[in-house]
Amino acid sequence: MSRNVPLISAVVYTVIAAAAALTFLAVTTFTGDYDTTARFGGAAWVFLLSMIVLMPTVPGVVRRLLGSANDQGEEPAPHGGER
């Protein structure tokens, strides 16, 4: 299961960052008087900054959550040179 941590983490932080960017886009579209460049540029900036913040933090959380699944009767992840 530990081999899936990078893939699961990438999906999780990409979805969270995309949701944040879409939320920013929706808020700026329905409130205020912002031009298109400001709205999409801001959404891209929110996405980029969210990715920067989430990339180092999400894998630890996913690893911890998957590790807790191992405590519930699953086989432990192999340790050693396998990656």
Side-chain angles (χ1 to χ4, degrees):
M1 189 60 111
S2 65
R3 293 185 326 198
N4 294 333
V5 169
L7 178 62
I8 293 169
S9 298
V11 170
V12 168
Y13 61 69
T14 302
V15 167
I16 293 171
L22 289 174
T23 301
F24 178 89
L25 190 61
V27 167
T28 57
T29 298
F30 298 118
T31 63
D33 186 27
Y34 304 101
D35 62 352
T36 304
T37 305
R39 284 187 280 132
F40 283 104
W45 189 244
V46 167
F47 178 80
L48 179 67
L49 291 178
S50 297
M51 290 289 281
I52 290 171
V53 169
L54 293 170
M55 284 177 95
T57 57
V58 169
V61 173
V62 170
R63 191 174 296 113
R64 192 173 329 117
L65 290 174
L66 291 178
S68 67
N70 285 338
D71 294 339
Q72 297 174 1
E74 292 185 14
E75 290 290 323
H79 295 89
E82 297 177 13
R83 288 187 182 205

